Amino acid sequence: MDITVLLPAGRLPLDLMAKAHDMAEKYGLGIYLSTVQNLRLLDVPEERVNEVKKELAAVGADFKGPGKFPLPRVCIGKTYCKLGVIDTEEFSNRIMARFKGRTKTKPKFKIAVSGCVLCCSGVKTTDIGINASKIGFDLYVGGKGGPHPRVGRRILHGVDEDTVLNAVEKIVEFHHTMSTQKQRMRKLIDHPEFPYPDEV
Ligand code: SF4
């Protein structure tokens, strides 16, 4: 079995890294840093899953599970990149502070955040993508990869943080109301009641 540990903003605390190392060494596990910036422990023996999770939880690990609001995938941001105009870790934390109380979020949408218009975290090919720029935030919706990749629709341009987060809330609510099963945003953006029909 695999265990996925959620890493907000892709950050791996040292004590968690040390504990994952201990568990991997003890049980011969593989370690994989996933494309959505989480930490996966691979090939955990079935009978050790609870024990490994308990050890990791003791140093603050939170685990992937149904209904959880998706952690944003972020670029490194202005603290470490001279082109960045926002601290992406801080922004990701603000998104999670606002939405983590949603315990019944339906799958299957992802969020990406970039610190500038270069969009290194894949903002334009993610269900909900936010990039900062010198004039404010842009919001894209409906981007996807896969065998039929699509660029998202830019629905806000150069707006402030509150405006962008209010729009994210509206889109997530729409997804919740309109989805009976897992659903990419792409399938919803041409619905006649989708609140942002126009590209800006
Ligand atoms: S998107 Fe911009 S800020 Fe983020 S890593 Fe790329 S160049 Fe730097």
Side-chain angles (χ1 to χ4, degrees), residues 75-78 81-85 88 114-121:
C75 79
I76 195 69
K78 80 167 182 187
C81 174
K82 63 183 182 204
L83 296 177
V85 294
T88 49
S114 282
C116 81
V117 293
L118 293 190
C119 297
C120 294
S121 58

Side-chain angles (χ1 to χ4, degrees), residues 23-162:
M23 294 290 103
E25 207 163 54
K26 190 167 174 188
Y27 298 117
L29 314 180
I31 299 268
Y32 172 62
L33 293 169
S34 77
T35 56
V36 287
Q37 300 180 324
N38 290 323
L39 179 75
R40 276 173 72 179
L41 283 82
L42 309 175
D43 305 321
V44 185
E46 193 91 33
E47 67 279 12
R48 298 292 182 193
V49 169
N50 287 343
E51 178 194 339
V52 172
K53 278 185 146 182
K54 201 171 154 198
E55 292 270 354
L56 293 167
V59 291
D62 186 19
F63 304 99
K64 186 178 172 184
K68 288 191 175 170
F69 194 81
L71 280 177
R73 178 179 63 244
V74 305
C75 79
I76 195 69
K78 80 167 182 187
T79 316
Y80 303 99
C81 174
K82 63 183 182 204
L83 296 177
V85 294
I86 61 161
D87 179 336
T88 49
E89 180 182 15
E90 202 176 85
F91 189 70
S92 170
N93 290 341
R94 283 206 287 276
I95 291 176
M96 292 315 291
R98 178 159 174 161
F99 296 106
K100 74 177 178 199
R102 292 183 68 97
T103 52
K104 291 183 181 162
T105 304
K106 290 179 183 165
K108 149 178 197 159
F109 67 88
K110 296 186 175 75
I111 300 178
V113 172
S114 282
C116 81
V117 293
L118 293 190
C119 297
C120 294
S121 58
V123 162
K124 294 177 186 174
T125 49
T126 301
D127 300 270
I128 297 175
I130 303 164
N131 72 265
S133 75
K134 287 181 180 158
I135 60 162
F137 291 93
D138 297 339
L139 175 59
Y140 291 81
V141 62
K144 67 189 279 291
H148 305 292
R150 300 291 296 270
V151 169
R153 175 188 299 159
R154 191 173 73 181
I155 60 167
L156 293 175
H157 178 49
V159 300
D160 63 25
E161 182 179 314
D162 280 348

